[in-house]
Amino acid sequence: MGVCCRHCMQGPCRIDPFGEGPQRGICGADADTMVARGLARAVAGGTASHSGHARHVAHVLKKALLGGAPDYAVRDKKKLEAVANRLGIETLGRSAQDIGLDVAEKALAEFGDNDNALAWAATTMTKGRLEAFSKLGIVPTSIDGSVAEVMHRTTYGVDAEPVNILLAALKCALADYAACHMAADLSDILFGTPQPVVSRANLGVIKENAVNIALHGHNPLLSDIIAQVASEPELIAAAKEAGAAGGLNVVGICCTGNEVMMRHGIPLATSSLSQETAIMTGALDAMVVDYQCIMPAVATAAECFHTKIITTMPVAKLPGAEHVAFSDDKAADCARAILLKGIANFKNRCPDKLCIPSISSAVIAGFSAEAIIAALSKVNAEDPLKPLIDSIVAGKIRGICLFAGCNSVKTPQDRNYIEMVKLLLAENVLILATGCAASAYARHGFMTSEATKQYAGAGLAAVLTTVGEAAGLGGPLPPVLHMGSCVDNARPVDVAVAVAERLGVDLSQLPVVASAPEAVTEKAVAIGTWAVAAGLPVHLGIAPPVLGSVVVTKTLTSTVSELLGGYFLTQVVTYNIVFSMP
Ligand code: BF8
Ligand code: SF4
């Protein structure tokens, strides 16, 4: 495996340049040091991205409450109060504005220098986890500080001790977890906590007779406002006037697509790896992007079609795209202006290039932790978690697997997801999914009541039927629960922590695992690393760039991993390795 160190300009130094086994780099760094540095930097990259997203939402929440962003407001006061109570912020007799401002200030303070543990980590994990983090010295106290610390320690000539570097990576990953949790919480406060919603997924949701606008990226700050204004009669009339009898059709791509599906039922066209295929239908009149996981290739693909690619954020522009600066103080006006550009582009469609595959699946999405607990409480109002726990103890549900992460060109798209889920469901394992994993299961029809009948083992199917019928779905819950975008990976942790606390055990003692069978991005590395820190066995279907390092891949069965309990299981085409992290 050609892992390189590129941490200075003397490199790249190859770990195994001649296929004769690992060698040292020019500066004397060995394979373990190089691999640990690379992994830590990937975690820092992922943390910077998730936390950039979270910080953006925190700023807009604060601005909205101070009157500077009038199109945003506290939509979910119950969630605001729940978050505030968890953070130790007084709620009794206080207005949403006052509570919200305290929450926003607390959120923004997480990025700076602090002496205490990050509140979004310390208040959302089990006691056992916090003790393990403390013993290892990996309690994060600053989100930005954790990223900067990794960048410092992995710079030329600083930290060369691989375990020490991996501990910094774990600390940074926990800062990533805090940021993800913050982004999910604050988005719920601004846009509402997701509840079960019926929609559809796959390219067939693009309509030939409508103006089709795809929302692509991650942050709901723009996409949620577009979803809100798209139903305005003036805009629908403008689309019809432009010749689209079917009016205006907004669809989602990637995680911002998951966000608007969860909250508004907006259909999901596709996920990251196949983002260009939405353009290749010839019927996409605009693709509106915010940031993250947007391939520059969309602008290249759009050159062959009429699709207008519209970038909106100052941090994410694309060569060949039109930039419409998104301004949170005039969010709804910006959203309307963007939609009008898509409407105006409808006339440029080339009928010869229209090719919309007539494929789409029904989806039940919107399973926030709150929605899952609400469904369970229909079976047992006093002790909602009891039906789930009883089912696990009785062996009807043998465990829970969270599928997260991306689609990679290193495997046929969705194959790993689909093959694995069929086996696990037959073995009565309940599946939770986020990000592109959720998109895969949505597009392949695993998020319906029918999928429970088709794929779930008898024990799992019986539980899902009892809960689904009690919750008024008129049938079983889907066997794969859509829990949202990648920052929403904090939601399954909330459910697992609630179960662990109800049982008086730690997360590492629960039959809960995570898998990223087609992981791609640094964000996925950060999430996988904090899942390990949370005590979960984590499976990766694509080997990360760690091979060649004995310390990272094999021998770290030290007190560190014993304390954490979690580990990575990496599946490579020809062999399997299990390694602790650290
Ligand atoms: O944040 S799963 S390809 S779209 S990184 Fe990106 Fe990976 Fe998809 Fe959402 Ni997550
Ligand atoms: Fe090579 Fe060392 Fe530079 Fe890495 S830091 S590229 S191993 S000389």
Side-chain angles (χ1 to χ4, degrees):
M1 284 278 171
V3 177
C4 301
C5 179
R6 297 171 188 273
H7 294 129
C8 82
M9 284 179 280
Q10 298 174 112
C13 293
R14 299 268 308 271
I15 286 182
D16 185 2
F18 307 112
E20 296 164 353
Q23 294 193 0
R24 286 177 184 269
I26 292 164
C27 69
D30 67 8
D32 299 326
T33 302
M34 294 185 205
V35 161
R37 283 178 178 167
L39 202 62
R41 284 203 163 203
V43 170
T47 308
S49 307
H50 285 142
S51 67
H53 171 161
R55 181 186 351 239
H56 194 175
V57 184
H59 274 297
V60 171
L61 174 63
K62 182 178 171 184
K63 197 167 168 180
L65 291 168
L66 292 174
D71 298 322
Y72 301 92
V74 171
R75 275 273 177 84
D76 191 338
K77 189 164 183 224
K78 205 169 150 207
K79 179 78 180 223
L80 171 67
E81 288 177 347
V83 172
N85 286 331
R86 209 186 60 219
L87 295 169
I89 293 168
E90 184 61 59
T91 55
L92 211 61
R94 300 184 73 206
S95 68
Q97 191 195 18
D98 289 348
I99 303 169
L101 274 172
D102 282 355
V103 169
E105 290 294 356
K106 184 105 179 161
L108 291 168
E110 299 271 89
F111 294 87
D113 266 341
N114 299 300
D115 295 327
N116 300 322
L118 292 176
W120 259 271
T123 61
T124 60
M125 279 271 169
T126 54
K127 201 165 152 273
R129 289 294 89 195
L130 298 174
E131 284 167 3
F133 303 156
S134 183
K135 278 188 193 146
L136 289 169
I138 58 170
V139 176
T141 55
S142 159
I143 296 174
D144 288 352
S146 302
V147 174
E149 184 181 327
V150 166
M151 297 312 284
H152 175 200
R153 284 168 67 164
T154 54
T155 287
Y156 182 82
V158 187
D159 204 348
E161 213 291 303
V163 177
N164 209 37
I165 295 168
L166 291 173
L167 288 171
L170 282 165
K171 184 164 87 170
C172 190
L174 288 169
D176 183 83
Y177 164 74
C180 287
H181 208 301
M182 182 195 294
D185 280 347
L186 302 189
S187 297
D188 285 356
I189 291 168
L190 281 174
F191 303 117
T193 302
Q195 298 300 322
V197 61
V198 178
S199 187
R200 297 196 75 79
N202 217 334
L203 289 175
V205 303
I206 294 173
K207 294 180 187 163
E208 187 170 338
N209 71 345
V211 173
N212 294 296
I213 314 274
L215 307 177
H216 178 11
H218 282 77
N219 201 320
L221 284 172
L222 171 62
S223 59
D224 201 277
I225 300 286
I226 291 185
Q228 291 173 38
V229 302
S231 54
E232 289 177 356
E234 298 78 11
L235 286 166
I236 295 169
K240 289 187 174 164
E241 246 168 60
L248 194 50
N249 183 38
V250 177
V251 300
I253 297 178
C254 285
C255 282
T256 221
N258 285 325
E259 299 262 0
V260 289
M261 175 184 250
M262 296 268 282
R263 295 199 179 89
H264 297 276
I266 298 275
L268 190 71
T270 188
S271 61
S272 179
L273 189 60
S274 41
Q275 55 194 269
E276 297 137 291
T277 59
I279 295 168
M280 290 161 64
T281 61
L284 199 62
D285 303 298
M287 178 185 274
V288 185
V289 307
D290 51 81
Y291 41 57
Q292 299 173 21
C293 302
I294 297 139
M295 296 193 212
V298 292
T300 321
E303 284 171 12
C304 307
F305 296 87
H306 80 298
T307 306
K308 193 179 270 292
I309 308 290
I310 302 175
T311 57
T312 55
M313 300 289 164
V315 298
K317 297 187 177 181
L318 292 177
E322 177 176 343
H323 189 73
V324 177
F326 170 66
S327 153
D328 49 34
D329 49 1
K330 295 191 216 87
D333 285 347
C334 272
R336 290 184 194 105
I338 287 168
L339 288 172
L340 286 170
K341 281 185 185 286
I343 291 168
N345 197 30
F346 178 80
K347 64 175 185 301
N348 297 322
R349 269 194 202 176
C350 176
D352 297 347
K353 291 186 180 174
L354 280 179
C355 178
I356 307 172
S358 57
I359 311 164
S360 71
S361 298
V363 180
I364 307 175
F367 289 98
S368 56
E370 290 86 342
I372 291 175
I373 303 226
L376 290 169
S377 72
K378 295 285 183 340
V379 181
N380 186 334
E382 270 151 40
D383 191 356
L385 292 173
K386 193 163 185 295
L388 179 62
I389 290 167
D390 287 350
S391 305
I392 293 173
V393 172
K396 288 184 185 166
I397 295 178
R398 292 181 62 195
I400 299 175
C401 179
L402 165 65
F403 278 97
C406 330
N407 287 127
S408 169
V409 293
K410 290 186 174 177
T411 182
Q413 181 170 1
D414 303 332
R415 186 193 63 184
N416 290 2
Y417 287 112
I418 304 309
E419 295 305 315
M420 287 176 71
V421 90
K422 284 184 188 163
L423 295 172
L424 290 171
L425 288 175
E427 291 291 336
N428 296 299
V429 176
L430 175 64
I431 307 297
L432 312 176
T434 55
C436 289
S439 165
Y441 294 127
R443 286 180 284 106
H444 288 273
F446 283 86
M447 292 175 163
T448 60
S449 297
E450 290 67 40
T452 299
K453 295 172 195 154
Q454 190 176 349
Y455 298 108
L460 177 62
V463 178
L464 293 171
T465 303
T466 304
V467 180
E469 283 178 355
L473 287 181
L477 281 183
V480 182
L481 300 180
H482 193 318
M483 294 196 80
S485 65
C486 288
V487 295
D488 289 334
N489 278 308
R491 299 186 195 275
V493 175
D494 285 348
V495 178
V497 168
V499 171
E501 285 180 343
R502 165 72 175 65
L503 287 171
V505 299
D506 199 2
L507 285 179
S508 54
Q509 294 164 280
L510 295 178
V512 179
V513 298
S515 173
E518 302 181 20
V520 171
T521 70
E522 293 174 323
K523 292 184 289 171
V525 178
I527 291 170
T529 305
W530 64 247
V532 169
L536 308 186
V538 176
H539 162 259
L540 300 173
I542 307 281
V546 298
L547 303 179
S549 161
V550 176
V551 169
V552 179
T553 57
K554 288 261 170 79
T555 62
L556 270 174
T557 48
S558 63
T559 43
V560 175
S561 57
E562 278 162 24
L563 273 171
L564 290 176
Y567 54 84
F568 277 128
L569 167 74
T570 298
Q571 171 194 329
V572 192
V573 181
T574 49
Y575 57 96
N576 290 298
I577 53 169
V578 178
F579 65 95
S580 298
M581 164 65 206

